[in-house]
Every structure is written in structure tokens, then in C-alpha cells.
Amino acid sequence: MDAAQQEATARARELQRNWYGEPLGALFRRLIDDLGLNQARLAGVLGLSAPMLSQLMSGQRAKIGNPAVVQRVQLLQDLAGQVADGSVSAAEATERMDEIKKSQGGSVLSNTTTTTSSSGAPTVKRVVREIQSLLRSVAAAGDIIDAADALAPSHPELAEFLRVYGAGRTSDAVAHYQSHQN
């Protein structure tokens, strides 16, 4: 990717952050993780082609043009929050995704319901995924590991944090988070 393409991608991601609350790549990856989907299934539920979803995720394209797709994204965010807090089972989520796929609708994406459970508190998994997403938006896993290795001699706790959240599995990061909440 040349400098002009990198600049265009960065600009698209900034527009996405302004319009949708975060870059769509991070939002869609979280939906994929939370709902156990792959990109093709997510594209199908949203009513997008797989190439269009890929372009939105990579920042090659900034905006979702169809208001019904924006509404489906919102519905999936709400569903992912319910799955994360345990109020909706995986089987129920699959049924709901089929309903969402058929829905038509609104035009506004709200980022307020995506980080809270039904009690209003962020779920541990959601907090961990937000930390992972932020770190991974800044640097690739290999670079994060290199930084952790450089920090390890003088700051072992920070190095561990970088390794666990920047390049580790979500389940390991959840365990790390919970062990440090005393």
C-alpha cells in the first residue's frame, strides 16, 4: 500500500469513527467474535456483498450507503450485547440474526448500548475486547510482542499486559483482567 492509499484509509477510518463511533473494521470484528460468525455470514445478515464488507472493514470504503444495513448493524450490536451478558443463548441469537437479516429500517447507529449489559454495567468480555481492539488498531501483534520484549527487563507487568491483550487470546485476557480486579 502506498502513502496515498494509507492516507485515504486513515481518512476513511476517521470518518467511520465520526459516523459510527469507531472504525467499522473494529465494530465488525467484534460482531464476528461476539456472535460466532465469519465475514461471509456477517455480510449475509447485514445484506452486504462480501467484497463490500471487506472494503468497509479495511477502510477502502468509508460509508454504509443503505440505511437498512445501518439499522441491521445496530440490531446486531444490541444482540451481541445480549449474548455477551448471557441474556440471549447462542441458539436464540441464530434465530434473531435470521430476523435481523429480513428487517428493513432506520438510519442511525447508536454506540451507547454496545458496551453495557442489561444491568447497565460493561461486561468483562466487552471491556477486554475494547482493550484488545484499541491495542490492535495501533500496532500489529508482532510489533506488540517486540515492544513487550523490550519492556520486559524493566517493566515486566506492562510487558505481560501487552502480550496478553495485544497478541493473546480473548479468554486469556479475560482471565488476566479478572485476576487484576481486586
Side-chain angles (χ1 to χ4, degrees):
M1 185 181 314
D2 67 22
Q5 289 172 314
Q6 287 179 333
E7 189 174 315
T9 297
R11 194 169 38 252
R13 287 188 177 133
E14 187 57 34
L15 288 170
Q16 289 174 348
R17 186 175 280 108
N18 292 336
W19 293 331
Y20 307 114
E22 66 184 310
L24 291 174
L27 190 158
F28 289 154
R29 276 188 288 284
R30 196 171 54 252
L31 289 176
I32 286 167
D33 289 344
D34 287 352
L35 297 171
L37 304 172
N38 59 34
Q39 282 190 19
R41 173 86 167 115
L42 177 60
V45 172
L46 291 175
L48 293 171
S49 69
M52 175 66 78
L53 179 71
S54 179
Q55 290 172 358
L56 288 165
M57 288 181 76
S58 67
Q60 292 175 317
R61 188 177 291 262
K63 190 169 185 168
I64 300 171
N66 183 335
V69 173
V70 175
Q71 181 65 32
R72 288 184 205 112
V73 171
Q74 178 64 58
L75 293 170
L76 284 178
Q77 286 183 294
D78 294 344
L79 179 60
Q82 293 167 343
V83 169
D85 72 21
S87 62
V88 172
S89 72
E92 292 170 315
T94 300
E95 286 180 28
R96 297 265 301 278
M97 282 187 274
D98 290 337
E99 294 168 16
I100 289 169
K101 182 177 183 176
K102 297 172 188 162
S103 70
Q104 303 299 312
S107 61
V108 179
L109 231 181
S110 156
N111 205 25
T112 56
T113 59
T114 61
T115 59
T116 58
S117 66
S118 56
S119 67
T123 63
V124 170
K125 194 172 190 181
R126 176 74 65 204
V127 170
V128 165
R129 286 209 170 123
E130 292 293 331
I131 294 167
Q132 288 176 316
S133 178
L134 178 61
L135 277 171
R136 293 168 184 179
S137 72
V138 173
D143 293 336
I144 293 171
I145 295 294
D146 289 347
D149 290 345
L151 278 174
S154 58
H155 302 286
E157 296 86 7
L158 280 173
E160 177 188 17
F161 176 87
L162 287 175
R163 282 190 193 98
V164 171
Y165 292 88
R169 297 175 53 199
T170 299
S171 58
D172 295 336
V174 167
H176 182 274
Y177 183 92
Q178 289 172 328
S179 73
H180 287 79
Q181 292 302 301
N182 298 342

